[in-house]
Amino acid sequence: MSASIGIVLHPRDGALSTAMAHAEAASREAKRNGGATFAFFETRMLGDAREQIELLRDLRQAVSRQQLELYYQPKVHAPTGEITGAGALLRWHHPQRGMVSPAQFVPLAERHGLIGTLGQWVIEEACRQTRAWRDQGLRMRVAINLSVHQLRQPDLAERIAAALQRHQVHPQRLTCEITESAAMEDAEGTHAIFERLAAVGVHLSVDDFGTGYCNFAMLRKLPAEELKIDRSFVLDLESSADARAVVDAVVKLAQALGRRVVAEGVESEGQAQVLRALGCDVLQGYLYAKPMSAKALAQWAMTEVGPRTLDFSASLFQNTQPTSLH
């Protein structure tokens, strides 16, 4: 283990009431310098600290003020080029700052205990939108990310089951993505939560695969239907033999275990060709479509307002009855 430490001296660096905020600003400076080190507080760090405090204050009210929204990025079946589902991505419409990146506010939420609230909102909203699409005639499967903090909630599976029931959505319409590093942090606990989620009936995916330290014996036992290759390997596919070798190994491993392979971050046709040749099942990235609002995705599906090279799978448009689970 290593630590990034921020140090504040009292009374030199201000009142005790500000010490924690100043120490946090110093610790962020230590992280920016590579981590596993320390930094003494300096006044110049206050600007960043003040911004973080203001952002945290606003984030606490973002849910109640209806400033959060899910955007959806289509997932494309590699062999046919048809859209088969979408990944949900959290967005924050800040009234003064505009669209705030999850890279800014998710770590903040994790540090200050708000990630559980945000995670529950994502679960509810994904289920609500899936039902709304179904009522329009679009049977979209939606994938959401579960954080390591959510995995520690003993009632996570029950929360997801309750949301699905509340919105009358079939569990197979929801995919839960869990990063490899989060899955490996507590192997025994992860296996237990995977089992409980599988019992609910949702699909399970191991995200960012290839970046952690996966226990292959555990992977074989996990009830996960797919492995999602990290975008860092996809980025170098056209120029790096090592990246191609890693992706090839992941695909072969997944096939041996009966799992699908999803590649994210596909931005060029060359990358897509390599992934298809290696046997990847599903592709996702800017080459096909950027994340978009639920309304934009529905308009695309229903009126063909979107990239002409992409079609929605016919299975997404089966007849539905709003009073029953589908």
Side-chain angles (χ1 to χ4, degrees):
M1 295 177 63
S2 63
S4 298
I5 302 170
I7 303 171
V8 168
L9 299 179
H10 176 73
R12 189 196 74 174
D13 294 330
L16 283 175
S17 60
T18 63
M20 187 58 71
H22 292 177
E24 193 168 325
S27 72
R28 282 195 295 272
E29 181 73 12
K31 291 175 184 176
R32 281 194 291 268
N33 291 333
T37 186
F38 62 89
F40 284 89
F41 172 76
E42 297 176 15
T43 306
R44 64 177 177 80
M45 302 173 187
L46 268 180
D48 182 53
R50 187 176 296 112
E51 182 179 355
Q52 292 291 304
I53 292 170
E54 293 174 354
L55 203 61
L56 176 62
R57 178 200 63 203
D58 295 343
L59 184 58
R60 293 186 188 279
Q61 302 170 332
V63 174
S64 62
R65 293 181 175 178
Q66 300 181 333
Q67 295 171 356
L68 299 180
E69 182 181 5
L70 287 183
Y71 270 40
Y72 300 88
Q73 187 172 35
K75 292 185 172 184
V76 176
H77 185 230
T80 65
E82 292 182 330
I83 295 173
T84 59
L89 302 165
L90 184 58
R91 295 290 185 266
W92 179 15
H93 298 277
H94 192 284
Q96 282 80 43
R97 300 171 186 266
M99 191 77 82
V100 182
S101 167
Q104 282 185 271
F105 68 84
V106 168
L108 193 66
E110 290 176 337
R111 288 200 303 271
H112 294 276
L114 296 179
I115 197 64
T117 301
L118 295 186
Q120 185 60 35
W121 183 88
V122 169
I123 292 169
E124 286 287 343
E125 177 61 16
C127 292
R128 185 204 66 78
Q129 185 58 61
T130 301
R131 169 61 187 268
W133 275 331
R134 195 193 76 200
D135 290 347
Q136 293 177 268
L138 179 62
R139 296 161 58 94
M140 184 70 73
R141 175 182 287 173
V142 174
I144 61 172
N145 292 102
L146 298 180
S147 72
V148 64
H149 301 274
Q150 287 175 284
L151 297 182
R152 294 171 184 157
Q153 296 174 339
D155 62 343
L156 175 63
E158 289 76 14
R159 287 170 181 256
I160 291 176
L164 290 166
Q165 182 60 42
R166 196 157 34 245
H167 297 283
Q168 291 290 286
V169 174
H170 196 287
Q172 289 189 354
R173 291 281 167 262
L174 185 68
T175 296
C176 294
E177 297 180 351
I178 300 167
T179 64
E180 182 187 6
S181 56
M184 294 303 110
E185 184 172 297
D186 176 12
E188 186 175 333
T190 297
H191 189 271
I193 190 62
F194 264 70
E195 292 288 351
R196 291 199 291 272
L197 289 171
V200 171
V202 299
H203 284 257
L204 297 170
S205 172
V206 179
D207 196 9
D208 295 344
F209 190 79
T211 60
Y213 303 93
C214 188
N215 180 324
F216 291 108
M218 177 187 170
L219 180 63
R220 181 173 60 85
K221 297 177 182 177
L222 285 179
E225 287 90 354
E226 68 182 33
L227 304 180
K228 196 170 184 182
I229 300 172
D230 185 69
R231 66 178 65 245
S232 62
F233 298 114
V234 175
L235 180 66
D236 297 331
L237 270 182
E238 295 178 89
S239 59
S240 170
D242 289 344
R244 288 194 295 274
V246 169
V247 173
D248 186 40
V250 170
V251 171
K252 285 183 169 61
L253 172 65
Q255 291 172 342
L257 296 175
R259 313 288 207 270
R260 290 192 307 274
V261 180
V262 179
E264 61 179 346
V266 182
E267 298 183 357
S268 72
E269 183 56 40
Q271 293 169 346
Q273 289 177 358
V274 173
L275 290 165
R276 283 193 291 265
L278 292 176
C280 195
D281 300 290
V282 179
L283 308 178
Q284 184 178 9
Y286 282 12
L287 173 64
Y288 302 106
K290 293 183 178 181
M292 66 191 78
S293 68
K295 181 179 179 180
L297 186 60
Q299 287 179 335
W300 180 9
M302 303 301 180
T303 63
E304 298 183 355
V305 178
R308 289 288 183 263
T309 56
L310 292 178
D311 294 318
F312 286 75
S313 170
S315 64
L316 299 181
F317 297 97
Q318 295 175 9
N319 292 330
T320 61
Q321 297 296 325
T323 56
S324 60
L325 290 176
H326 289 278

